[in-house]
Amino acid sequence: MTGPVTPAPGGHEHDDRELHAEFLLLRLHGCRFLRLREGLVEHVTADHGGTVDYEDLRTSEWTSDLVELPVRYSDTHGSDLDVVNQQYLIEQFGARVFVHLRDDRDGARGIALPVCRPLPGDDADNSVLHRLTRELERLRVVGLLDEERHSAYIGTLAHNAWRSHLRAEAITALRAMSPDPQEDRAVVLAGLDADDPIGEAYFGFEGNEWAAVTPFRVRNGRHDEAVMHVATTLFAWEV
């Protein structure tokens, strides 16, 4: 006796029983089931490749429209790991596979899937959905899907922090410890240099310990030592 089927691309048919089983597994991997607020179903399309505002959704334990993957982040929620994991999944499976969730009030970003619907371009065996489920299982175990991407992201945040405030803090600290007016002038001139020799020396300190404090901001746990490194290497001070 055959079960219900859903049309699939290329003339294939999806077995709905297997499709439903895969979506049930998503709950075990930390996914959250969401439903459009009452009265919005006719006005908001929760479809693959589309965008839905978080304010139009509510959590649902039963009838659901979307299943949100556990990679949401915002100004106050989530971490740098969520940013990287979300980027990785979008790159691996394509932006058109997901419903993109957002809330511009706090910079929230998330991704979801329409509940129990075949993924775009998937075959009758739901192999793409199965691969996605396996990735979420791996995420639940290891917490990070791409270490190399994460390192690059932390590096980007570190350079953003340097441009936004750390550079000014480092120059102020160097001027405060300069041994004489001539060396103070050397710090000022180095700070005006477009090649940023102070930054090059600062990031050349091998002991830098960058750690994310929000999804978008990092701090250097050894900032003071990095400044001392600049003083002894770039300016050859004995401090």
PDB file of all heavy atoms in Angstrom, residues 1 12 17 26 28 56 59 82 93 102 118 127 130 140 144 146 155-156 182 193 202 206 213-214 222-224 229 233:
ATOM      1  N   MET A   1       0.850  -1.199   0.000  1.00  0.00           N
ATOM      2  CA  MET A   1       0.000   0.000   0.000  1.00  0.00           C
ATOM      3  C   MET A   1       0.876   1.236   0.000  1.00  0.00           C
ATOM      4  O   MET A   1       1.771   1.373   0.832  1.00  0.00           O
ATOM      5  CB  MET A   1      -0.895  -0.004   1.246  1.00  0.00           C
ATOM      6  CG  MET A   1      -1.872   1.164   1.281  1.00  0.00           C
ATOM      7  SD  MET A   1      -3.000   1.037   2.701  1.00  0.00           S
ATOM      8  CE  MET A   1      -3.964   2.502   2.426  1.00  0.00           C
ATOM      9  N   HIS A  12       9.562  13.486 -10.658  1.00  0.00           N
ATOM     10  CA  HIS A  12       9.641  12.543  -9.553  1.00  0.00           C
ATOM     11  C   HIS A  12       8.566  12.864  -8.531  1.00  0.00           C
ATOM     12  O   HIS A  12       7.935  13.908  -8.558  1.00  0.00           O
ATOM     13  CB  HIS A  12      11.025  12.607  -8.895  1.00  0.00           C
ATOM     14  CG  HIS A  12      12.141  12.304  -9.842  1.00  0.00           C
ATOM     15  ND1 HIS A  12      12.320  11.063 -10.400  1.00  0.00           N
ATOM     16  CD2 HIS A  12      13.122  13.105 -10.335  1.00  0.00           C
ATOM     17  CE1 HIS A  12      13.381  11.094 -11.200  1.00  0.00           C
ATOM     18  NE2 HIS A  12      13.880  12.330 -11.176  1.00  0.00           N
ATOM     19  N   ARG A  17       5.726  10.505   3.745  1.00  0.00           N
ATOM     20  CA  ARG A  17       6.072   9.912   5.037  1.00  0.00           C
ATOM     21  C   ARG A  17       7.534  10.172   5.371  1.00  0.00           C
ATOM     22  O   ARG A  17       7.865  10.508   6.509  1.00  0.00           O
ATOM     23  CB  ARG A  17       5.775   8.409   5.019  1.00  0.00           C
ATOM     24  CG  ARG A  17       4.298   8.062   4.899  1.00  0.00           C
ATOM     25  CD  ARG A  17       4.085   6.605   4.591  1.00  0.00           C
ATOM     26  NE  ARG A  17       4.764   6.218   3.352  1.00  0.00           N
ATOM     27  CZ  ARG A  17       4.688   5.005   2.816  1.00  0.00           C
ATOM     28  NH1 ARG A  17       3.979   4.058   3.416  1.00  0.00           N
ATOM     29  NH2 ARG A  17       5.316   4.721   1.684  1.00  0.00           N
ATOM     30  N   LEU A  26      14.134  17.473  12.738  1.00  0.00           N
ATOM     31  CA  LEU A  26      14.626  18.839  12.935  1.00  0.00           C
ATOM     32  C   LEU A  26      14.317  19.341  14.348  1.00  0.00           C
ATOM     33  O   LEU A  26      15.104  20.077  14.931  1.00  0.00           O
ATOM     34  CB  LEU A  26      13.997  19.775  11.899  1.00  0.00           C
ATOM     35  CG  LEU A  26      14.371  19.509  10.437  1.00  0.00           C
ATOM     36  CD1 LEU A  26      13.673  20.504   9.524  1.00  0.00           C
ATOM     37  CD2 LEU A  26      15.870  19.587  10.235  1.00  0.00           C
ATOM     38  N   LEU A  28      14.387  17.601  17.002  1.00  0.00           N
ATOM     39  CA  LEU A  28      15.385  17.002  17.886  1.00  0.00           C
ATOM     40  C   LEU A  28      16.719  17.721  17.803  1.00  0.00           C
ATOM     41  O   LEU A  28      17.540  17.616  18.722  1.00  0.00           O
ATOM     42  CB  LEU A  28      15.575  15.521  17.540  1.00  0.00           C
ATOM     43  CG  LEU A  28      14.342  14.631  17.673  1.00  0.00           C
ATOM     44  CD1 LEU A  28      14.683  13.208  17.229  1.00  0.00           C
ATOM     45  CD2 LEU A  28      13.814  14.639  19.102  1.00  0.00           C
ATOM     46  N   ASP A  56       5.854  39.002  12.622  1.00  0.00           N
ATOM     47  CA  ASP A  56       4.687  38.359  12.023  1.00  0.00           C
ATOM     48  C   ASP A  56       4.596  36.883  12.397  1.00  0.00           C
ATOM     49  O   ASP A  56       3.733  36.166  11.863  1.00  0.00           O
ATOM     50  CB  ASP A  56       4.735  38.489  10.497  1.00  0.00           C
ATOM     51  CG  ASP A  56       4.573  39.927  10.030  1.00  0.00           C
ATOM     52  OD1 ASP A  56       3.954  40.707  10.777  1.00  0.00           O
ATOM     53  OD2 ASP A  56       5.079  40.265   8.947  1.00  0.00           O
ATOM     54  N   THR A  59       5.703  31.368  18.174  1.00  0.00           N
ATOM     55  CA  THR A  59       6.076  29.976  18.392  1.00  0.00           C
ATOM     56  C   THR A  59       4.826  29.108  18.435  1.00  0.00           C
ATOM     57  O   THR A  59       3.805  29.494  18.998  1.00  0.00           O
ATOM     58  CB  THR A  59       6.853  29.832  19.717  1.00  0.00           C
ATOM     59  OG1 THR A  59       8.002  30.684  19.673  1.00  0.00           O
ATOM     60  CG2 THR A  59       7.296  28.397  19.927  1.00  0.00           C
ATOM     61  N   ASP A  82      26.695  31.586  15.662  1.00  0.00           N
ATOM     62  CA  ASP A  82      25.445  31.572  14.907  1.00  0.00           C
ATOM     63  C   ASP A  82      25.595  32.301  13.576  1.00  0.00           C
ATOM     64  O   ASP A  82      25.055  31.861  12.560  1.00  0.00           O
ATOM     65  CB  ASP A  82      24.332  32.211  15.731  1.00  0.00           C
ATOM     66  CG  ASP A  82      24.014  31.417  16.984  1.00  0.00           C
ATOM     67  OD1 ASP A  82      23.733  30.214  16.855  1.00  0.00           O
ATOM     68  OD2 ASP A  82      24.065  31.990  18.080  1.00  0.00           O
ATOM     69  N   PHE A  93      23.740  25.289   0.858  1.00  0.00           N
ATOM     70  CA  PHE A  93      22.456  24.846   0.314  1.00  0.00           C
ATOM     71  C   PHE A  93      21.777  25.879  -0.589  1.00  0.00           C
ATOM     72  O   PHE A  93      20.831  25.537  -1.297  1.00  0.00           O
ATOM     73  CB  PHE A  93      21.515  24.455   1.467  1.00  0.00           C
ATOM     74  CG  PHE A  93      22.002  23.269   2.246  1.00  0.00           C
ATOM     75  CD1 PHE A  93      22.783  23.440   3.379  1.00  0.00           C
ATOM     76  CD2 PHE A  93      21.721  21.981   1.834  1.00  0.00           C
ATOM     77  CE1 PHE A  93      23.260  22.356   4.092  1.00  0.00           C
ATOM     78  CE2 PHE A  93      22.186  20.888   2.537  1.00  0.00           C
ATOM     79  CZ  PHE A  93      22.974  21.070   3.670  1.00  0.00           C
ATOM     80  N   ARG A 102      13.816  38.104   9.667  1.00  0.00           N
ATOM     81  CA  ARG A 102      14.534  39.314  10.049  1.00  0.00           C
ATOM     82  C   ARG A 102      13.692  40.182  10.985  1.00  0.00           C
ATOM     83  O   ARG A 102      12.467  40.109  11.000  1.00  0.00           O
ATOM     84  CB  ARG A 102      14.923  40.125   8.818  1.00  0.00           C
ATOM     85  CG  ARG A 102      13.756  40.629   7.986  1.00  0.00           C
ATOM     86  CD  ARG A 102      14.228  41.303   6.709  1.00  0.00           C
ATOM     87  NE  ARG A 102      15.084  42.433   7.011  1.00  0.00           N
ATOM     88  CZ  ARG A 102      16.060  42.867   6.203  1.00  0.00           C
ATOM     89  NH1 ARG A 102      16.293  42.239   5.065  1.00  0.00           N
ATOM     90  NH2 ARG A 102      16.778  43.917   6.522  1.00  0.00           N
ATOM     91  N   PRO A 118       8.905  19.908   0.110  1.00  0.00           N
ATOM     92  CA  PRO A 118      10.188  19.547  -0.488  1.00  0.00           C
ATOM     93  C   PRO A 118      11.056  20.779  -0.733  1.00  0.00           C
ATOM     94  O   PRO A 118      10.549  21.858  -1.040  1.00  0.00           O
ATOM     95  CB  PRO A 118       9.800  18.879  -1.813  1.00  0.00           C
ATOM     96  CG  PRO A 118       8.371  18.463  -1.632  1.00  0.00           C
ATOM     97  CD  PRO A 118       7.764  19.482  -0.723  1.00  0.00           C
ATOM     98  N   SER A 127      17.123  13.912  -0.715  1.00  0.00           N
ATOM     99  CA  SER A 127      18.529  13.786  -0.322  1.00  0.00           C
ATOM    100  C   SER A 127      19.116  15.111   0.164  1.00  0.00           C
ATOM    101  O   SER A 127      19.963  15.122   1.064  1.00  0.00           O
ATOM    102  CB  SER A 127      19.359  13.237  -1.487  1.00  0.00           C
ATOM    103  OG  SER A 127      19.259  14.080  -2.622  1.00  0.00           O
ATOM    104  N   HIS A 130      17.835  15.606   3.638  1.00  0.00           N
ATOM    105  CA  HIS A 130      18.540  14.664   4.515  1.00  0.00           C
ATOM    106  C   HIS A 130      19.940  15.170   4.833  1.00  0.00           C
ATOM    107  O   HIS A 130      20.396  15.093   5.990  1.00  0.00           O
ATOM    108  CB  HIS A 130      18.622  13.289   3.846  1.00  0.00           C
ATOM    109  CG  HIS A 130      19.317  12.254   4.672  1.00  0.00           C
ATOM    110  ND1 HIS A 130      18.819  11.793   5.879  1.00  0.00           N
ATOM    111  CD2 HIS A 130      20.497  11.607   4.479  1.00  0.00           C
ATOM    112  CE1 HIS A 130      19.655  10.900   6.381  1.00  0.00           C
ATOM    113  NE2 HIS A 130      20.671  10.770   5.551  1.00  0.00           N
ATOM    114  N   ARG A 140      24.588  20.292  16.379  1.00  0.00           N
ATOM    115  CA  ARG A 140      24.179  20.043  17.764  1.00  0.00           C
ATOM    116  C   ARG A 140      25.309  19.416  18.570  1.00  0.00           C
ATOM    117  O   ARG A 140      25.457  19.665  19.767  1.00  0.00           O
ATOM    118  CB  ARG A 140      22.952  19.123  17.783  1.00  0.00           C
ATOM    119  CG  ARG A 140      22.403  18.837  19.169  1.00  0.00           C
ATOM    120  CD  ARG A 140      21.047  18.139  19.064  1.00  0.00           C
ATOM    121  NE  ARG A 140      21.127  16.908  18.301  1.00  0.00           N
ATOM    122  CZ  ARG A 140      21.477  15.734  18.812  1.00  0.00           C
ATOM    123  NH1 ARG A 140      21.792  15.624  20.087  1.00  0.00           N
ATOM    124  NH2 ARG A 140      21.509  14.654  18.050  1.00  0.00           N
ATOM    125  N   LEU A 144      29.984  24.245  15.845  1.00  0.00           N
ATOM    126  CA  LEU A 144      30.533  25.100  14.786  1.00  0.00           C
ATOM    127  C   LEU A 144      30.728  24.266  13.531  1.00  0.00           C
ATOM    128  O   LEU A 144      31.392  23.228  13.567  1.00  0.00           O
ATOM    129  CB  LEU A 144      31.864  25.710  15.233  1.00  0.00           C
ATOM    130  CG  LEU A 144      32.592  26.600  14.211  1.00  0.00           C
ATOM    131  CD1 LEU A 144      31.742  27.810  13.863  1.00  0.00           C
ATOM    132  CD2 LEU A 144      33.948  27.040  14.761  1.00  0.00           C
ATOM    133  N   ASP A 146      32.087  25.344  10.483  1.00  0.00           N
ATOM    134  CA  ASP A 146      33.210  25.685   9.608  1.00  0.00           C
ATOM    135  C   ASP A 146      34.223  26.511  10.398  1.00  0.00           C
ATOM    136  O   ASP A 146      34.062  27.721  10.553  1.00  0.00           O
ATOM    137  CB  ASP A 146      32.701  26.464   8.397  1.00  0.00           C
ATOM    138  CG  ASP A 146      33.762  26.666   7.319  1.00  0.00           C
ATOM    139  OD1 ASP A 146      34.959  26.677   7.668  1.00  0.00           O
ATOM    140  OD2 ASP A 146      33.397  26.828   6.141  1.00  0.00           O
ATOM    141  N   GLY A 155      38.710  37.457  12.499  1.00  0.00           N
ATOM    142  CA  GLY A 155      39.716  38.375  11.976  1.00  0.00           C
ATOM    143  C   GLY A 155      39.103  39.650  11.431  1.00  0.00           C
ATOM    144  O   GLY A 155      39.622  40.750  11.644  1.00  0.00           O
ATOM    145  N   THR A 156      37.978  39.514  10.733  1.00  0.00           N
ATOM    146  CA  THR A 156      37.281  40.688  10.210  1.00  0.00           C
ATOM    147  C   THR A 156      36.786  41.577  11.347  1.00  0.00           C
ATOM    148  O   THR A 156      36.935  42.808  11.309  1.00  0.00           O
ATOM    149  CB  THR A 156      36.091  40.251   9.336  1.00  0.00           C
ATOM    150  OG1 THR A 156      36.575  39.528   8.208  1.00  0.00           O
ATOM    151  CG2 THR A 156      35.290  41.454   8.855  1.00  0.00           C
ATOM    152  N   GLN A 182      60.378  63.773  21.558  1.00  0.00           N
ATOM    153  CA  GLN A 182      60.746  63.315  20.215  1.00  0.00           C
ATOM    154  C   GLN A 182      60.044  61.988  19.890  1.00  0.00           C
ATOM    155  O   GLN A 182      59.545  61.797  18.781  1.00  0.00           O
ATOM    156  CB  GLN A 182      62.263  63.151  20.121  1.00  0.00           C
ATOM    157  CG  GLN A 182      62.724  62.732  18.724  1.00  0.00           C
ATOM    158  CD  GLN A 182      64.243  62.657  18.624  1.00  0.00           C
ATOM    159  OE1 GLN A 182      64.957  63.084  19.534  1.00  0.00           O
ATOM    160  NE2 GLN A 182      64.724  62.111  17.525  1.00  0.00           N
ATOM    161  N   ASP A 193      50.495  57.809   9.310  1.00  0.00           N
ATOM    162  CA  ASP A 193      50.979  57.044   8.158  1.00  0.00           C
ATOM    163  C   ASP A 193      49.846  56.186   7.584  1.00  0.00           C
ATOM    164  O   ASP A 193      49.239  55.381   8.299  1.00  0.00           O
ATOM    165  CB  ASP A 193      52.153  56.156   8.591  1.00  0.00           C
ATOM    166  CG  ASP A 193      52.887  55.545   7.417  1.00  0.00           C
ATOM    167  OD1 ASP A 193      52.246  55.287   6.380  1.00  0.00           O
ATOM    168  OD2 ASP A 193      54.109  55.305   7.542  1.00  0.00           O
ATOM    169  N   TYR A 202      50.807  45.899  15.949  1.00  0.00           N
ATOM    170  CA  TYR A 202      49.815  45.436  16.925  1.00  0.00           C
ATOM    171  C   TYR A 202      49.308  44.044  16.546  1.00  0.00           C
ATOM    172  O   TYR A 202      49.275  43.126  17.374  1.00  0.00           O
ATOM    173  CB  TYR A 202      48.666  46.438  16.987  1.00  0.00           C
ATOM    174  CG  TYR A 202      47.594  46.121  17.997  1.00  0.00           C
ATOM    175  CD1 TYR A 202      47.642  46.674  19.269  1.00  0.00           C
ATOM    176  CD2 TYR A 202      46.513  45.294  17.682  1.00  0.00           C
ATOM    177  CE1 TYR A 202      46.643  46.405  20.209  1.00  0.00           C
ATOM    178  CE2 TYR A 202      45.521  45.011  18.606  1.00  0.00           C
ATOM    179  CZ  TYR A 202      45.592  45.570  19.870  1.00  0.00           C
ATOM    180  OH  TYR A 202      44.605  45.296  20.789  1.00  0.00           O
ATOM    181  N   GLU A 206      51.945  37.895  18.487  1.00  0.00           N
ATOM    182  CA  GLU A 206      51.422  36.538  18.369  1.00  0.00           C
ATOM    183  C   GLU A 206      50.545  36.134  19.547  1.00  0.00           C
ATOM    184  O   GLU A 206      49.813  35.144  19.471  1.00  0.00           O
ATOM    185  CB  GLU A 206      52.577  35.546  18.213  1.00  0.00           C
ATOM    186  CG  GLU A 206      53.355  35.727  16.919  1.00  0.00           C
ATOM    187  CD  GLU A 206      54.466  34.704  16.756  1.00  0.00           C
ATOM    188  OE1 GLU A 206      54.663  33.899  17.698  1.00  0.00           O
ATOM    189  OE2 GLU A 206      55.120  34.699  15.697  1.00  0.00           O
ATOM    190  N   VAL A 213      32.349  39.146  21.988  1.00  0.00           N
ATOM    191  CA  VAL A 213      31.502  39.498  23.129  1.00  0.00           C
ATOM    192  C   VAL A 213      30.046  39.674  22.703  1.00  0.00           C
ATOM    193  O   VAL A 213      29.140  39.655  23.538  1.00  0.00           O
ATOM    194  CB  VAL A 213      32.013  40.775  23.833  1.00  0.00           C
ATOM    195  CG1 VAL A 213      33.354  40.511  24.482  1.00  0.00           C
ATOM    196  CG2 VAL A 213      32.143  41.933  22.854  1.00  0.00           C
ATOM    197  N   THR A 214      29.817  39.860  21.407  1.00  0.00           N
ATOM    198  CA  THR A 214      28.481  39.848  20.800  1.00  0.00           C
ATOM    199  C   THR A 214      28.662  39.205  19.420  1.00  0.00           C
ATOM    200  O   THR A 214      29.795  38.942  19.000  1.00  0.00           O
ATOM    201  CB  THR A 214      27.894  41.270  20.631  1.00  0.00           C
ATOM    202  OG1 THR A 214      28.536  41.920  19.517  1.00  0.00           O
ATOM    203  CG2 THR A 214      28.069  42.108  21.894  1.00  0.00           C
ATOM    204  N   ARG A 222      44.457  40.506  25.384  1.00  0.00           N
ATOM    205  CA  ARG A 222      45.839  40.888  25.692  1.00  0.00           C
ATOM    206  C   ARG A 222      46.187  42.208  24.988  1.00  0.00           C
ATOM    207  O   ARG A 222      47.286  42.391  24.482  1.00  0.00           O
ATOM    208  CB  ARG A 222      46.791  39.763  25.292  1.00  0.00           C
ATOM    209  CG  ARG A 222      46.508  38.450  26.040  1.00  0.00           C
ATOM    210  CD  ARG A 222      47.463  37.344  25.663  1.00  0.00           C
ATOM    211  NE  ARG A 222      48.823  37.628  26.116  1.00  0.00           N
ATOM    212  CZ  ARG A 222      49.862  36.807  25.895  1.00  0.00           C
ATOM    213  NH1 ARG A 222      49.679  35.682  25.220  1.00  0.00           N
ATOM    214  NH2 ARG A 222      51.057  37.117  26.326  1.00  0.00           N
ATOM    215  N   HIS A 223      45.236  43.115  25.014  1.00  0.00           N
ATOM    216  CA  HIS A 223      45.417  44.410  24.349  1.00  0.00           C
ATOM    217  C   HIS A 223      46.634  45.160  24.900  1.00  0.00           C
ATOM    218  O   HIS A 223      47.456  45.673  24.131  1.00  0.00           O
ATOM    219  CB  HIS A 223      44.153  45.255  24.513  1.00  0.00           C
ATOM    220  CG  HIS A 223      44.305  46.678  24.087  1.00  0.00           C
ATOM    221  ND1 HIS A 223      44.352  47.058  22.759  1.00  0.00           N
ATOM    222  CD2 HIS A 223      44.443  47.823  24.825  1.00  0.00           C
ATOM    223  CE1 HIS A 223      44.494  48.378  22.685  1.00  0.00           C
ATOM    224  NE2 HIS A 223      44.555  48.867  23.917  1.00  0.00           N
ATOM    225  N   ASP A 224      46.746  45.242  26.218  1.00  0.00           N
ATOM    226  CA  ASP A 224      47.851  45.998  26.812  1.00  0.00           C
ATOM    227  C   ASP A 224      49.207  45.419  26.411  1.00  0.00           C
ATOM    228  O   ASP A 224      50.158  46.171  26.129  1.00  0.00           O
ATOM    229  CB  ASP A 224      47.728  46.002  28.336  1.00  0.00           C
ATOM    230  CG  ASP A 224      46.519  46.803  28.820  1.00  0.00           C
ATOM    231  OD1 ASP A 224      46.000  47.603  28.021  1.00  0.00           O
ATOM    232  OD2 ASP A 224      46.100  46.608  29.971  1.00  0.00           O
ATOM    233  N   HIS A 229      54.060  45.472  22.845  1.00  0.00           N
ATOM    234  CA  HIS A 229      54.776  44.874  21.716  1.00  0.00           C
ATOM    235  C   HIS A 229      55.070  45.932  20.653  1.00  0.00           C
ATOM    236  O   HIS A 229      56.173  45.966  20.084  1.00  0.00           O
ATOM    237  CB  HIS A 229      53.947  43.739  21.126  1.00  0.00           C
ATOM    238  CG  HIS A 229      54.543  43.105  19.912  1.00  0.00           C
ATOM    239  ND1 HIS A 229      55.595  42.216  19.966  1.00  0.00           N
ATOM    240  CD2 HIS A 229      54.245  43.248  18.581  1.00  0.00           C
ATOM    241  CE1 HIS A 229      55.915  41.832  18.743  1.00  0.00           C
ATOM    242  NE2 HIS A 229      55.105  42.438  17.890  1.00  0.00           N
ATOM    243  N   THR A 233      58.895  46.911  19.570  1.00  0.00           N
ATOM    244  CA  THR A 233      59.305  46.485  18.222  1.00  0.00           C
ATOM    245  C   THR A 233      59.314  47.629  17.222  1.00  0.00           C
ATOM    246  O   THR A 233      60.279  47.818  16.495  1.00  0.00           O
ATOM    247  CB  THR A 233      58.374  45.360  17.701  1.00  0.00           C
ATOM    248  OG1 THR A 233      57.019  45.813  17.683  1.00  0.00           O
ATOM    249  CG2 THR A 233      58.489  44.118  18.576  1.00  0.00           C
TER     250      THR A 233
END
